[in-house]
Amino acid sequence: MRIVAILAFMGVLFGADKAKFTKMDELVRPDDYREWIFLSSGLGMTYGPNAPAPGAPLRFDNVYANPSSYREFVKTGKWPDGTVLILEIRESESKGSINQHGRYQTAVSAIEAHVKDSRRISTNNGWAFYDIDPKGVRTTSKPLPVGNRCETCHSTNGAVDSTFVQFYPDLIPIALKHGTYKMTNSTTSARH
């Protein structure tokens, strides 16, 4: 048992948690992403000019990073090849059990991956987006077509290398320290 734990730790330490692909260049679903580094959670976030319809359900966006890429980001302020950022979108409820106010997370409604692999991905500085089956029936995913909404928005508004570091409060000072934080009209100020 102890040897298994040591081997698992060594695998994460040396990048065994990086993006994995099939021979057809489909991303293999990382089933253990909830054991990765939790970057942040947003509630009811939208990226377009229109607000959600009144009474529309609010969703939580939870973001996870594979541990070896997170450690590299902390050292350098850059995401290395093999980085996998998982966006898990969950429904929310407001009243349940003893909760009378506020919102809590419920069922997973979608999972998306933002992956950096410059050997496989020749566009967008080596980054691509993947829709992942939230039920886990389909275990691999093809990249979204080049020029998709996610790619367009991230390449224009991402604070670091087309990623939304501006929404990951613990990473902002790291990116600022390393000079990798891109200040734009859509990124938050550097008050952190």
Side-chain angles (χ1 to χ4, degrees):
M1 179 76 147
R2 188 173 179 194
I3 291 174
V4 171
I6 290 170
L7 290 174
F9 175 75
M10 296 291 286
V12 168
L13 187 63
F14 294 108
D17 62 338
K18 293 191 178 219
K20 293 176 182 54
F21 297 89
T22 67
K23 291 178 183 176
M24 302 298 291
D25 283 338
E26 291 187 0
L27 178 69
V28 176
R29 176 192 168 105
D31 287 326
D32 63 345
Y33 72 87
R34 285 192 192 102
E35 297 172 18
W36 291 2
I37 306 299
F38 176 74
L39 296 181
S40 189
S41 187
L43 176 62
M45 296 178 72
T46 62
Y47 303 112
N50 299 326
L58 292 176
R59 292 185 171 148
F60 282 93
D61 294 347
N62 299 318
V63 182
Y64 302 86
N66 62 307
S68 64
S69 294
Y70 173 83
R71 282 192 300 279
E72 185 67 20
F73 187 93
V74 169
K75 284 188 222 170
T76 66
K78 297 178 183 176
W79 297 110
D81 265 359
T83 295
V84 183
L85 301 176
I86 294 290
L87 171 64
E88 177 189 70
I89 303 168
R90 287 185 170 267
E91 301 297 326
S92 73
E93 295 288 334
S94 64
K95 296 199 180 198
S97 183
I98 63 169
N99 183 55
Q100 297 300 309
H101 305 284
R103 302 199 74 78
Y104 59 92
Q105 298 185 37
T106 59
V108 174
S109 60
I111 302 172
E112 299 170 1
H114 192 189
V115 177
K116 184 175 186 179
D117 190 321
S118 58
R119 292 176 315 226
R120 285 183 175 78
I121 305 163
S122 60
T123 59
N124 197 22
N125 294 319
W127 287 92
F129 289 88
Y130 299 80
D131 271 330
I132 296 177
D133 180 5
K135 297 187 183 333
V137 174
R138 189 174 30 88
T139 59
T140 63
S141 302
K142 294 179 183 177
L144 296 179
V146 173
N148 63 75
R149 280 183 26 193
C150 298
E151 181 182 290
T152 301
C153 183
H154 275 255
S155 64
T156 302
N157 301 301
V160 177
D161 198 16
S162 83
T163 64
F164 285 164
V165 169
Q166 64 263 39
F167 298 128
Y168 314 146
D170 292 340
L171 297 188
I172 294 171
I174 294 167
L176 288 168
K177 173 185 163 192
H178 291 286
T180 58
Y181 192 88
K182 180 176 73 175
M183 293 295 274
T184 68
N185 290 336
S186 60
T187 57
T188 59
S189 67
R191 294 179 297 198
H192 302 276

